[in-house]
Amino acid sequence: MGTRVGGGTCSIALGTDAPIHPNNPHYLALNVDGAVGLRNTGYDGIVINAGATYDVALFARTLAGTIGALTVRLEGRLGEVLGEAVLPAPTGTWTKLTTALVATGSDNHGRFSVQVSGVGTVALDVISLFPRATFRNRSNGLRPDLAQVIADLRPRFIRFPGGCLVHGDGLGNLYRWKDTIGPIETRKEQFNIWNYHQSVGLGYFEYFQFCEDIGAKPLPVVPAGVCCPNTGARYNGLWEQGQCGIPLDEMDDYVQEVLDLIEWANGLVDSPWGAKRAAAGHPEPFNLEYLGVGNEDRITDVFKERFLLITNAVKAKYPEITVIGTVGPRPEGEDYEDGWQFARDYQIPMVDEHGYKSPDWFWDNLGRFDAYDRSVSTTVYLGEYAAHDMGRRSTLRSALAEAAYLTTLERNGDIVRLSSYAPLLGKQRRSQWEPDLIYFDNTNVYPTINYYVQQLFGVNAGESYLPTDLSYAEDKTLAASTVVEVQSGDLILKIVSRADVSVELQIDLAGVVNLQPEAICTVLSGAPLAENSYSFWHTHIVKPETRPLMVAPRFSYTVPAHSLSVIRVRTR
């Protein structure tokens, strides 16, 4: 908002004449008479930490009259100055002005201001306040605690930039990867179907860089030449009524856009798009292996025609890329059946299944992937799933249902090649979807119980599956899997129980060579309807507890009620 500083007056207009870049067509035109300022309180306040360095950048241009130097400030919630610097007076051409502020005090609800003096009109755009301390100290990088809690999941891959926002609220709202790379001021901002604005400061380069930083493979998803089936729903309350396709006479250009993405990710520095990646600071290829084409699309003729144009071109030029198709939003129904038939007919390498169901559904479907046809070459990426409990809440009951399902994914690793919980992140009181795996506010991160299940499976993934006798679990209160971690040689048992009482199991490891007597046992347990609560007045956190466990070729283990047990047995 505009503010008076010492009696000045101002008016604000939206400028469109000669913007910084065609992708960024609007700027703020501030008509000033005296000393005035702009103030931004951020989203729920700006966190300012004493001693921390904050980089300031903005673009400015004098449109009329005489404009003096600009003052940028960190302010406390009551206006106290916590850091200040002076930027040069803007000229008649767009100029990027930068400085650094070192905070002299702390405030979790601070604000940032830009103060202007003079008589005339000044244009301002792309105003940025960025903490210098980012994850791995990357320029334009990620918030360290949020990035670290994702890294702690030990993910093997990251799917981005998301689901429905990819194919957008209409063809004009498709997520186009080229609009998200390059200097920030040249990127194309837009609204999305989830009802919030994307600055695309977090763009494809940052996504790929983050994947590399944490040792995860990138899995970008591009539109399949059609927009979201839910297009228009937020305007008129309808649902699944808006899929339409890019005109066929424009598809050659769109197919080339997808091919350019692969060249940008993997091309040598002397290729046109590999050179652009190198110019951004990454001459080495990102080693892209997977490409998702489409997300929860209706399997219509419009979709099929465009999907095949894209995937046939990728297969012809980049046969090493695994293309991942889509079979709709649910693990059953018309789009699911049509999607799988389409995948079989055209030998699509992998398809993306989604499913948000009740905890009981997951327990009732522990044999789902056992029954999949092994003669079909198409494999599964379970790209979005979560057990929704009690009106979409993250309970221990839902987390254990997901854990039980994960044991079946390990057992069926020949069919289910990849899986990822969704959604990943949600800001408290700002989420458009519940539940999310990780909640956060401006200062803290709040993992759900479901997060700890994902983390236990991620850290203890293993590389090969061993037959696990489930004959004792015919009542579907228990689920289990056994894997081997090649590097350590450890044997890892995962046992899930939704029983109301503890269960005594006899575990037979007689065939294990060089079995070591002391294992490590990690248990996640509690009341089935427990939820992780981090509020000031009520803190209750269910998280894993680890202890040593003595084992033998044959030994007894008491499985706690409502629990996930991970037993890591050493063989070296």
Side-chain angles (χ1 to χ4, degrees), residues 4 26 63 84 206 242 311 344 422 462 465 520 538:
R4 292 189 178 192
H26 306 113
L63 301 179
E84 182 178 273
E206 290 77 21
T311 55
R344 287 189 289 265
Y465 179 82
I520 299 172
H538 178 256

Side-chain angles (χ1 to χ4, degrees), residues 12-31 61 63 94 121-125:
I12 296 174
L14 192 65
T16 58
D17 183 39
I20 298 173
H21 189 274
N23 279 351
N24 181 16
H26 306 113
Y27 54 84
L28 185 69
L30 188 64
N31 302 300
R61 176 165 66 106
L63 301 179
W94 283 112
T121 304
V122 60
L124 299 171
D125 201 3

Side-chain angles (χ1 to χ4, degrees), residues 202-276:
L202 173 60
Y204 258 52
F205 184 86
E206 290 77 21
Y207 281 119
F208 272 84
Q209 183 71 79
F210 179 54
C211 289
E212 185 175 82
D213 282 344
I214 66 173
K217 295 181 180 182
L219 200 165
V221 181
V222 298
V226 295
C227 64
C228 183
N230 304 330
T231 290
R234 64 189 174 94
Y235 296 113
N236 56 29
L238 299 177
W239 194 253
E240 296 190 350
Q241 50 80 51
Q243 185 187 82
C244 54
I246 294 173
L248 288 175
D249 61 1
E250 298 177 17
M251 278 300 296
D252 284 348
D253 289 341
Y254 182 71
V255 169
Q256 188 60 50
E257 181 179 320
V258 176
L259 297 177
D260 290 345
L261 168 60
I262 300 172
E263 182 178 286
W264 177 84
N266 291 353
L268 300 177
V269 295
D270 58 356
S271 65
W273 284 97
K276 291 181 183 295

Side-chain angles (χ1 to χ4, degrees), residues 16 149 549 555:
T16 58
V149 78
L549 177 70
F555 69 98

